[in-house]
Protein backbone atom coordinates (compact mmCIF):
# COMPACT_ATOMS: atom_id res chain seq x y z
CA UNK A 1 0.00 0.00 0.00
CA UNK A 2 1.24 3.43 -0.87
CA UNK A 3 1.92 5.77 2.09
CA UNK A 4 1.85 3.02 4.74
CA UNK A 5 4.86 2.54 6.99
CA UNK A 6 5.60 -0.43 9.19
CA UNK A 7 7.76 1.61 11.58
CA UNK A 8 6.56 2.80 14.96
CA UNK A 9 5.42 6.39 15.32
CA UNK A 10 7.16 8.74 17.79
CA UNK A 11 4.54 8.17 20.50
CA UNK A 12 4.70 4.39 20.12
CA UNK A 13 8.53 4.47 20.34
CA UNK A 14 8.35 6.49 23.55
CA UNK A 15 5.83 4.07 25.03
CA UNK A 16 8.03 1.11 24.10
CA UNK A 17 11.13 2.75 25.63
CA UNK A 18 9.15 3.56 28.78
CA UNK A 19 7.95 -0.04 29.10
CA UNK A 20 11.48 -1.40 28.66
CA UNK A 21 12.83 1.03 31.29
CA UNK A 22 10.05 0.14 33.73
CA UNK A 23 10.81 -3.55 33.22
CA UNK A 24 14.50 -2.98 33.91
CA UNK A 25 13.71 -0.97 37.04
CA UNK A 26 11.40 -3.71 38.30
CA UNK A 27 14.07 -6.35 37.71
CA UNK A 28 16.69 -4.27 39.54
CA UNK A 29 14.33 -3.64 42.47
CA UNK A 30 13.61 -7.36 42.69
CA UNK A 31 17.33 -8.19 42.76
CA UNK A 32 17.94 -5.53 45.41
CA UNK A 33 15.11 -6.89 47.56
CA UNK A 34 16.55 -10.39 47.31
CA UNK A 35 20.00 -9.07 48.25
CA UNK A 36 18.54 -7.17 51.22
CA UNK A 37 16.78 -10.25 52.55
CA UNK A 38 20.04 -12.19 52.34
CA UNK A 39 21.90 -9.80 54.67
CA UNK A 40 19.76 -8.25 57.45
CA UNK A 41 22.79 -6.36 58.89
CA UNK A 42 23.14 -4.37 55.66
CA UNK A 43 22.02 -0.78 56.40
CA UNK A 44 22.74 0.55 52.90
CA UNK A 45 19.16 -0.21 51.74
CA UNK A 46 15.69 -0.24 53.26
CA UNK A 47 12.45 -1.67 51.98
CA UNK A 48 9.59 0.86 52.17
CA UNK A 49 6.29 1.33 50.32
CA UNK A 50 6.98 -1.60 48.01
CA UNK A 51 10.39 -0.31 46.89
CA UNK A 52 13.99 -0.86 47.92
CA UNK A 53 15.69 2.46 48.71
CA UNK A 54 19.42 3.22 48.85
CA UNK A 55 20.44 4.89 52.12
CA UNK A 56 23.08 7.59 51.94
CA UNK A 57 26.04 7.45 54.31
CA UNK A 58 29.16 9.65 54.39
CA UNK A 59 32.22 10.21 56.53
CA UNK A 60 32.42 13.92 55.73
CA UNK A 61 30.40 16.82 54.38
CA UNK A 62 28.60 16.08 51.09
CA UNK A 63 25.65 17.55 49.21
CA UNK A 64 22.98 18.47 49.38
CA UNK A 65 23.88 20.66 52.25
CA UNK A 66 26.74 20.17 52.96
CA UNK A 67 25.72 17.47 55.44
CA UNK A 68 27.10 14.34 57.05
CA UNK A 69 24.76 11.41 56.36
CA UNK A 70 24.41 8.33 58.56
CA UNK A 71 22.63 5.09 57.71
CA UNK A 72 21.81 4.81 61.44
CA UNK A 73 19.32 7.65 60.99
CA UNK A 74 17.08 5.62 58.65
CA UNK A 75 14.86 2.72 59.67
CA UNK A 76 11.55 1.06 58.86
CA UNK A 77 9.64 -0.21 61.90
CA UNK A 78 7.56 -3.39 62.20
CA UNK A 79 4.43 -1.57 61.01
CA UNK A 80 6.23 -0.49 57.84
CA UNK A 81 6.56 3.18 58.86
CA UNK A 82 9.68 4.99 57.66
CA UNK A 83 11.68 6.97 60.23
CA UNK A 84 14.28 9.58 59.17
CA UNK A 85 16.22 11.34 61.92
CA UNK A 86 18.71 14.12 62.45
CA UNK A 87 20.98 13.21 65.37
CA UNK A 88 24.12 14.41 67.07
CA UNK A 89 26.90 11.85 67.49
CA UNK A 90 30.13 12.76 69.24
CA UNK A 91 29.64 16.47 68.56
CA UNK A 92 28.75 15.94 64.85
CA UNK A 93 25.20 16.38 63.53
CA UNK A 94 24.15 13.70 61.04
CA UNK A 95 21.24 13.64 58.58
CA UNK A 96 19.22 10.99 56.76
CA UNK A 97 18.65 10.49 53.04
Amino acid sequence: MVGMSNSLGPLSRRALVLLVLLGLMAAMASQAAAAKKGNPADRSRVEFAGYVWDVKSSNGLVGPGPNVFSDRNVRVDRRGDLHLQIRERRGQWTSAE
Side-chain angles (χ1 to χ4, degrees):
M1 298 183 161
V2 177
M4 296 287 292
S5 173
N6 56 2
S7 66
L8 295 173
L11 185 59
S12 295
R13 277 189 223 124
R14 287 186 191 137
L16 181 61
V17 168
L18 181 61
L19 286 173
V20 168
L21 288 174
L22 287 173
L24 287 172
M25 288 172 57
M28 288 170 36
S30 175
Q31 287 177 344
K36 171 69 176 159
K37 290 177 182 171
N39 185 3
D42 181 13
R43 294 177 164 265
S44 65
R45 292 192 169 107
V46 294
E47 219 174 307
F48 172 70
Y51 295 93
V52 176
W53 301 85
D54 291 333
V55 176
K56 191 177 213 174
S57 190
S58 68
N59 292 323
L61 296 173
V62 296
N67 292 308
V68 176
F69 293 92
S70 174
D71 56 8
R72 293 181 177 198
N73 295 345
V74 179
R75 71 179 178 89
V76 177
D77 66 22
R78 291 181 182 181
R79 292 184 358 192
D81 295 333
L82 177 66
H83 299 269
L84 303 175
Q85 299 175 316
I86 299 171
R87 296 198 281 188
E88 183 182 10
R89 282 195 192 5
R90 294 179 231 129
Q92 178 69 55
W93 286 97
T94 59
S95 303
E97 180 177 290

